[in-house]
Amino acid sequence: MKIAIADDDPIVCSSLQTILTASGTADVLWTANDGEKTCRQYMAGPAQHPDVLLVDVQMPGLNGIEAARRILEFDKAARILFLTTFADQQYISQAMALGARGYLIKQDVASVCPAVQAVMAGQIVLGAEVLGKLTGSTSNRNDHAENRHTENGYGDGELANALATLSERERDVARLVAQGLDNRQIAAQLFLSEGTVRNRISDILDKLALTNRTQLAIAWLHAER
């Protein structure tokens, strides 16, 4: 597996490279210390496309959110995992709405290798603190919940109504997507073929006017609060 690391701190880049290579998890293809360089490196050609790109949120000039946006517009198949010290709900929602494959807080360094492996396997990775922020279970949940909107534009009530249009089997699939399972794992749990799971997810995204499974996972988590 090949990884690239975008972080404004060279020491962080070096430390992550050491952890990933020493553990045998991955080889580091390149590192970058700002958003512009991250985009240039990724867009230099297919040989510069890592299997997973680790990105910090705050970097000089172009920040990590905007860099990820540009990269995903350039290559929708890019696997981007945010690794940052910032646990702000706004950053998390923006990152995941873009189609990032996960969001981790840097303090949980021990989770980096398994997180990278999970993203490579097609799973969505969210740290416990991040998941709490997305589901509104932490103390920053505001008192006017009925006025909140998810990143797809639904209000909470509208989201519940939209999810109610799904069939029981579609709801089973959506629930497992929100748990971070990949298509193979969902197929095994529901005794379906992987092709059927892909088709179900595509149908669900069309019904809910969503663009990717990350948005579906977030929508489900919001609705289940």
Side-chain angles (χ1 to χ4, degrees):
M1 189 192 327
K2 296 187 184 301
I3 301 293
I5 304 167
D7 194 289
D8 63 340
D9 188 341
I11 295 176
V12 170
C13 290
S14 178
S15 298
L16 288 172
Q17 182 167 1
T18 299
I19 291 169
L20 290 164
T21 55
S23 66
T25 301
D27 295 321
V28 175
L29 188 60
W30 49 264
T31 64
N33 302 126
D34 62 70
E36 292 285 0
K37 183 179 179 183
T38 301
C39 292
R40 287 197 306 272
Q41 286 279 96
Y42 193 98
M43 297 176 188
Q48 297 303 308
H49 293 182
D51 294 309
V52 180
L53 173 59
L54 293 174
V55 181
D56 192 8
V57 168
Q58 291 285 10
M59 292 189 288
L62 193 69
N63 65 38
I65 299 289
E66 186 56 35
R69 188 191 313 278
R70 294 186 186 183
I71 288 170
L72 285 164
E73 287 174 353
F74 174 78
D75 177 14
K76 294 186 184 303
R79 300 182 187 94
I80 295 178
L81 173 60
F82 280 90
L83 181 64
T84 181
T85 58
F86 296 92
D88 305 60
Q89 199 272 346
Q90 182 180 3
Y91 284 141
I92 297 167
S93 294
Q94 287 177 348
M96 301 310 293
L98 289 175
R101 301 300 179 90
Y103 196 109
L104 292 178
I105 305 305
K106 279 181 183 173
Q107 285 86 336
D108 194 10
V109 176
S111 68
V112 172
C113 291
V116 165
Q117 292 169 330
V119 167
M120 189 63 190
Q123 298 181 27
I124 298 165
V125 178
L126 300 171
E129 182 178 357
V130 172
L131 187 59
K133 293 292 179 78
L134 282 175
T135 58
S137 62
T138 54
S139 60
N140 67 350
R141 187 174 180 176
N142 80 52
D143 295 330
H144 302 288
E146 69 276 9
N147 294 324
R148 282 194 308 265
H149 283 69
T150 60
E151 290 297 321
N152 54 44
Y154 287 116
D156 284 355
E158 295 167 332
L159 177 58
N161 291 337
L163 289 170
T165 67
L166 301 180
S167 68
E168 183 177 353
R169 181 57 87 187
E170 287 171 338
R171 291 177 64 81
D172 289 340
V173 171
R175 173 175 52 81
L176 294 175
V177 168
Q179 290 176 10
L181 275 64
D182 61 24
N183 290 353
R184 179 182 56 80
Q185 293 168 320
I186 294 172
Q189 285 213 20
L190 299 181
F191 303 102
L192 300 170
S193 70
E194 288 189 52
T196 298
V197 171
R198 281 194 299 271
N199 291 338
R200 295 274 189 179
I201 292 174
S202 179
D203 290 343
I204 293 167
L205 295 178
D206 286 344
K207 284 186 178 182
L208 301 181
L210 302 175
T211 58
N212 57 63
R213 65 193 294 142
T214 304
Q215 290 182 350
L216 172 58
I218 293 171
W220 183 268
L221 292 170
H222 272 285
E224 289 294 293
R225 283 187 307 224

